[in-house]
């Protein structure tokens, strides 16, 4: 524990001109007194740590000292490529590895480049979870992430409707979509790839045996294909609507983007009032009612008649509410 802390202290001092005892204590999560003792221990071991006294004082390395302890471990290098998603790293249990990797990279850079990580972080940040929803980290996510990194088969139990099903899986990759974690895995012995929501797993046991990854498997391409298949699969009904120019502009924000795109692509020419009639794929009449309500008077439902009647009742109630 202390050895790792001493190494981290050297790397911190190597990556910056100097640091105060308070700054080191904060980075190392220890007291300033412990920093003083660690600095003395490094000095006794031959590391040229020098303490400048006074208000502007601090600790620094002298004589151009450079440690050779900057080689990245495999897990650190892999985690570094995910460092733009700090919340995801934390949920998968990789935050410490990423922090160590960034520190080693910073220590290995030329002095003129050592602020690169800070300047980049101030300019780009990825906030993956959806708005107005507090993301809940699945309890079994770290265990699944470990199996993904190690290419280990897992035996998983997950909820499917009212039942629980057990599967032996080869976990290929994790995807974070709008704050929800998914596992892309191949069913052992079947060769087919499937997608599982991590929060529906009730038990995960990692096996000792490893599986050999399919070199042709492309996680981003696989996810894009499955996501589009899912989006299409839930569009089981159709409604016919007439849209104003403003309604056409707002349609992609009110309904599924895929549904809006397909509808507008096949739209006919506008009528004398500038309105266009489109056939819109929807999940259900209930969902269509909720989504299209957001367009207000910019949309008129033509079919099915049951949905048109619903909007007519809504209009009557609204008129009664706003009658002078």
């Amino acid at each position: 524990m202390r050895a790792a802390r001493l190494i981290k202290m050297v790397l911190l001092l190597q990556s910056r001109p100097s640091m105060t005892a308070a700054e080191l204590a904060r980075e190392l999560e220890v007291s300033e007194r412990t920093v003083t003792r660690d600095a003395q221990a490094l000095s006794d071991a031959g590391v040229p740590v020098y303490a400048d006294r006074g208000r502007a004082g601090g600790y620094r390395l002298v004589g151009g000292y450079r440690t050779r302890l900057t080689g990245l471990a495999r897990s650190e290098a892999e985690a570094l490529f995910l460092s733009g998603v700090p919340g995801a790293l934390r949920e998968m249990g990789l935050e410490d590895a990423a922090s160590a990797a960034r520190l080693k990279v910073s220590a290995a850079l030329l002095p003129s480049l050592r602020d690169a990580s800070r300047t980049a972080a101030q300019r780009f940040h990825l906030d993956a979870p959806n708005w107005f929803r507090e993301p809940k980290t699945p309890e079994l996510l770290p265990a699944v992430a470990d199996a993904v990194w190690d290419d280990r088969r897992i035996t998983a139990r997950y909820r499917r409707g009212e039942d629980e099903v057990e599967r032996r899986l080869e976990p290929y990759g994790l995807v974070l979509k709008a704050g929800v974690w998914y596992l892309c895995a191949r069913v052992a012995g079947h060769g087919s790839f499937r997608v599982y929501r991590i929060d529906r797993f009730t038990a995960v046991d990692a096996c000792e045996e490893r599986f050999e990854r399919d070199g042709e498997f492309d996680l981003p391409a696989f996810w894009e294909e499955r996501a589009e298949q899912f989006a299409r699969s839930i569009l089981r009904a159709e409604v016919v609507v007439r849209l104003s120019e403003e309604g056409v502009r707002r349609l992609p924000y009110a309904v599924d983007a895929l549904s809006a795109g397909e509808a507008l692509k096949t739209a006919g020419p506008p009528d004398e009032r500038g309105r266009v009639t489109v056939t819109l794929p929807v999940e259900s009449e209930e969902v269509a009612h909720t989504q299209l309500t957001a367009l207000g008077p910019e949309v008129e439902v033509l079919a099915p008649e049951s949905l048109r009647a619903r909007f007519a009742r809504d209009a009557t109630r609204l008129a009664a509410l706003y009658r002078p």
Side-chain angles (χ1 to χ4, degrees):
M1 179 86 176
R2 191 190 186 196
R5 190 175 70 241
L6 292 175
I7 292 171
K8 187 173 182 179
M9 184 174 180
V10 173
L11 291 172
L12 283 167
L13 294 174
Q14 184 173 307
S15 65
R16 306 177 196 181
S18 69
M19 294 183 71
T20 65
E23 289 172 335
L24 284 167
R26 186 167 55 252
E27 291 281 355
L28 299 171
E29 298 180 346
V30 295
S31 66
E32 293 186 32
R33 182 174 296 180
T34 299
V35 168
T36 302
R37 287 199 297 264
D38 286 352
Q40 183 61 50
L42 288 171
S43 180
D44 292 343
V47 178
V49 178
Y50 182 78
D52 290 314
R53 302 191 181 279
R55 290 185 60 188
Y59 292 92
R60 60 186 175 88
L61 295 174
V62 296
Y65 179 85
R66 311 247 341 142
T67 176
R68 296 173 179 269
L69 298 172
T70 54
L72 290 177
R74 179 176 179 83
S75 62
E76 294 168 347
E78 291 169 332
L80 186 62
F81 288 101
L82 296 172
S83 59
V85 198
L89 283 168
R90 186 166 52 251
E91 292 177 7
M92 288 190 291
L94 297 171
E95 188 175 27
D96 289 343
S99 176
R102 287 192 296 268
L103 186 56
K104 289 182 177 182
V105 169
S106 179
L109 291 174
L110 294 172
S112 61
L113 300 176
R114 285 178 187 160
D115 67 341
S117 61
R118 183 184 62 81
T119 56
Q122 293 304 316
R123 287 163 173 79
F124 302 101
H125 177 69
L126 176 61
D127 185 8
N130 208 344
W131 284 105
F132 313 120
R133 185 179 303 166
E134 187 66 29
K136 184 178 180 181
T137 304
E139 184 180 341
L140 297 173
L141 176 61
V144 176
D146 285 345
V148 170
W149 285 123
D150 292 341
D151 293 338
R152 291 188 184 277
R153 287 192 175 94
I154 60 172
T155 300
R157 294 187 62 81
Y158 70 97
R159 295 187 302 275
R160 191 170 66 182
E162 298 296 321
D163 303 319
E164 277 197 6
V165 181
E166 184 172 288
R167 290 286 185 271
R168 194 170 176 80
L169 303 174
E170 296 175 350
Y172 267 67
L174 289 166
V175 175
L176 177 60
K177 170 72 171 177
V180 180
W181 284 97
Y182 296 88
L183 172 67
C184 301
R186 182 165 61 183
V187 181
H190 290 269
S192 59
F193 287 93
R194 299 179 186 176
V195 177
Y196 302 87
R197 278 186 60 144
I198 303 294
D199 57 8
R200 291 180 182 167
F201 285 166
T202 58
V204 172
D205 292 317
C207 307
E208 289 298 321
E209 59 182 312
R210 287 183 166 86
F211 63 91
E212 188 171 340
R213 297 179 71 90
D214 181 350
E216 299 297 317
F217 180 79
D218 184 330
L219 179 60
F222 171 79
W223 176 258
E224 183 179 2
E225 179 185 348
R226 287 303 173 92
E228 185 172 342
Q229 287 177 2
F230 173 75
R232 291 183 184 279
S233 70
I234 63 174
L235 301 176
R236 301 188 183 95
E238 289 183 344
V239 299
V240 181
V241 298
R242 185 181 290 134
L243 299 163
S244 67
E245 186 176 340
E246 177 65 11
V248 169
R249 188 187 68 81
R250 288 166 48 187
L251 185 66
Y253 304 99
V255 304
D256 179 79
L258 176 66
S259 172
E262 291 192 355
L264 295 175
K265 195 184 304 180
T266 59
D271 60 18
E272 64 278 0
R273 296 171 58 196
R275 297 196 163 216
V276 297
T277 300
V278 301
T279 299
L280 184 70
V282 294
E283 184 174 344
S284 66
E285 185 174 312
E286 183 71 33
V287 172
H289 176 255
T290 301
Q291 292 175 331
L292 294 175
T293 296
L295 296 179
E298 309 304 330
V299 62
E300 178 189 359
V301 175
L302 303 178
E305 185 58 39
S306 57
L307 182 58
R308 181 178 174 85
R310 266 179 105 161
F311 274 90
R313 289 194 296 272
D314 289 348
T316 301
R317 292 174 62 194
L318 282 170
L321 286 173
Y322 290 99
R323 185 177 297 122

